[in-house]
Amino acid sequence: MTESRSANQSARMAVLLVLSFLGIATFAARPADAAEGITESILTGFSQTSAPKTFVASLDLVGTPRSRLILLRRPDRVAIDLFDTVAALKTITIEENPIVANVRQGLVAHDRYRIVLALKQPGLPVATIDTKDGHSVLKLTISATDAAGFGRAVASQEIGASVDVAKGVPPVSGPQERVTVVIDPGHGGVDTGAVGRHGTLEKDINLQFAKSLKQALASLPNVDVVMTREDDRFVSLSERSKTARRDKAALFISLHADSIRYPGIRGATVYTLSERASDQLSREVAESENSSDRFVDPKWQEGEPEVFDILIELMRRETDSFSEHFAAGLVEEFGRHKVRLIRNPKRSAGFKVLLAPDVPSVLVELGYLSNVDDEQLLLDSSWREDTASAIASAVSGYLGSRGLAATLDKAEGG
């Protein structure tokens, strides 16, 4: 038994060293931590079974993590936090079943890995964990319930104590720290951006809307709002993304109202970063927005060269996942608020302003000044306030899903 335990510990140390070298691990195995009761673990496997009214997920781990369950609404989700845990899995996929629609996962803090299961129907989770010879299997069972039952469970969060059998980790009681959201009004100063058919300047539209969005977000508790510009001044694309990194933003939202060569196209679009544009329109929009740096003094561009090593790539992959999560929620909120959208409103392209590797970022085209109807709409104060409210609601839901701010109900009830 002693030899087996020693072998398991050696194997665990080897995996930790490899993960640390690759930039995946955020900690190293330390005997002192073990003495203090801090568990370090690695998620190595995920499997599922299902029945008409139940869904069971089995998580294989090296080590025994502290863990807790969280219930989230709008949409209904079950989240499980694994403390001091890293994943050796690139992705987790969900097979077709009647309870769980999809899954997202990733680090939500330096010491916490989260798996979020989006529900097709309300369900109540129960978790158990079995440990043997340094390995653990955490079994999460979600049983179908009605909306009222799910609502009561969300309100009480009493099920959280059932997750960590050994320590009884309490459920989330609310955010512990304030978070920052950076709003980026595109263009400004000498860079006017697009010009509408009736002379409307994009830089003015973006700034007006940013101020409305800042006001809408101000009602969310635990959220601080920073703007990359608050007046008519030029700010380079790199400085905009640097602002988000400098303020350790939880989210970066760049606002635009471009002009394109298709005057019949109108409506909002939500863009995320990708090396290849999702379509020709996205490619053209990215080229237009990226051209803002033609106004930059050449001496400003003599900074450090871009570094694309494996650590940045891993960070970028995690950030992209969160960006996609927020973008999907934003499109959904736009639909709920009856904000006009173009066909296939969630797109992607190589926007320079979204390059911060550690800040989830989206670029929102509020409409297109090349369309006369959009130009008129973009100048309408009531449309601006309602659209800002939709974005604030999406921000609230996103932050709530990551456990960064308990703002969901307040935002959507306002």
Side-chain angles (χ1 to χ4, degrees):
M1 180 66 71
T2 301
E3 292 180 358
S4 175
R5 183 177 294 109
S6 176
N8 286 329
Q9 290 175 343
S10 298
R12 180 182 172 206
M13 283 291 294
V15 174
L16 282 168
L17 287 171
V18 172
L19 291 176
S20 180
F21 175 76
L22 292 175
I24 298 175
T26 57
F27 53 82
R30 293 167 295 180
D33 287 344
E36 295 169 6
I38 298 177
T39 302
E40 297 171 344
S41 60
I42 307 166
L43 177 62
T44 58
F46 180 94
S47 59
Q48 71 172 76
T49 58
S50 61
K53 292 188 176 182
T54 60
F55 173 90
V56 180
S58 296
L59 282 62
D60 298 319
L61 301 120
V62 176
T64 305
R66 291 189 302 123
S67 49
R68 65 180 173 188
L69 285 175
I70 310 166
L71 293 185
L72 302 164
R73 304 199 72 179
R74 301 183 182 92
D76 294 344
R77 286 151 292 158
V78 172
I80 185 164
D81 281 351
L82 304 173
F83 290 82
D84 297 307
T85 298
V86 293
L89 303 176
K90 284 188 176 181
T91 59
I92 295 175
T93 57
I94 294 294
E95 299 171 0
E96 181 61 31
N97 68 90
I99 305 293
V100 176
N102 56 62
V103 62
R104 291 187 176 93
Q105 72 280 342
L107 289 170
V108 293
H110 73 280
D111 65 342
R112 191 162 76 252
Y113 189 86
R114 175 169 295 177
I115 299 172
V116 181
L117 302 164
L119 303 180
K120 294 181 179 178
Q121 59 178 300
L124 297 180
V126 174
T128 59
I129 189 165
D130 294 319
T131 300
K132 183 178 181 180
D133 295 335
H135 289 74
S136 301
V137 175
L138 192 155
K139 184 171 290 186
L140 174 65
T141 302
I142 303 176
S143 302
T145 186
D146 56 19
F150 188 82
R152 287 191 297 271
V154 171
S156 67
Q157 293 282 295
E158 290 178 353
I159 57 170
S162 68
V163 182
D164 192 330
V165 177
K167 299 181 176 64
V169 177
V172 172
S173 59
Q176 300 300 313
E177 299 179 358
R178 300 187 66 82
V179 296
T180 299
V181 174
V182 172
I183 304 173
D184 172 45
H187 308 283
V190 66
D191 177 18
T192 61
V195 180
R197 296 293 184 88
H198 296 100
T200 305
L201 299 182
E202 182 187 359
K203 67 175 183 177
D204 295 335
I205 291 293
N206 297 339
L207 185 58
Q208 290 172 357
F209 191 93
K211 291 179 178 178
S212 295
L213 179 56
K214 181 179 181 179
Q215 185 175 0
L217 291 173
S219 62
L220 304 182
N222 310 299
V223 175
D224 296 320
V225 180
V226 173
M227 291 174 56
T228 57
R229 67 178 181 96
E230 300 203 42
D231 52 22
D232 185 17
R233 69 177 64 187
F234 175 78
V235 182
S236 69
L237 296 178
S238 61
E239 184 58 33
R240 294 169 189 267
S241 60
K242 283 180 181 177
T243 297
R245 299 200 70 195
R246 183 170 58 245
D247 289 294
K248 295 180 172 59
L251 192 60
F252 176 88
I253 304 172
S254 190
L255 302 171
H256 293 264
D258 207 358
S259 180
I260 53 179
R261 61 187 177 93
Y262 312 100
I265 293 180
R266 60 175 302 207
T269 316
V270 181
Y271 290 98
T272 55
L273 178 69
S274 66
E275 289 186 11
R276 294 185 178 182
S278 57
D279 53 86
Q280 180 62 27
L281 173 61
S282 300
R283 183 179 300 107
E284 293 180 14
V285 171
E287 290 173 354
S288 174
E289 301 299 357
N290 291 343
S291 67
S292 292
D293 271 358
R294 68 186 182 278
F295 298 102
V296 176
D297 187 316
K299 68 180 181 181
W300 293 4
Q301 298 179 327
E302 296 175 357
E304 297 180 359
E306 294 288 346
V307 179
F308 295 100
D309 59 17
I310 192 169
L311 299 179
I312 294 296
E313 174 59 27
L314 289 167
M315 186 187 300
R316 175 83 263 167
R317 187 185 306 162
E318 190 69 35
T319 301
D320 288 347
S321 175
F322 288 131
S323 299
E324 289 292 332
H325 179 192
F326 173 68
L330 180 53
V331 168
E332 183 178 330
E333 282 300 322
F334 276 159
R336 198 166 72 86
H337 283 250
K338 303 297 188 291
V339 176
R340 187 184 181 98
L341 297 163
I342 71 167
R343 184 181 300 176
N344 301 323
K346 191 170 82 68
R347 305 188 181 207
S348 59
F351 293 94
K352 291 181 181 178
V353 77
L354 305 183
L355 280 174
D358 52 350
V359 180
S361 307
V362 300
L363 185 146
V364 180
E365 290 285 352
L366 300 165
Y368 293 94
L369 284 173
S370 46
N371 181 280
V372 291
D373 294 321
D374 263 6
E375 181 178 10
Q376 182 177 0
L377 200 60
L378 288 164
L379 293 169
D380 184 271
S381 60
S382 61
W383 175 89
R384 186 163 57 242
E385 290 177 4
D386 188 55
T387 304
S389 175
I391 297 178
S393 182
V395 170
S396 174
Y398 168 78
L399 295 177
S401 71
R402 291 191 61 188
L404 299 176
T407 59
L408 284 170
D409 293 333
K410 291 189 178 183
E412 302 198 359

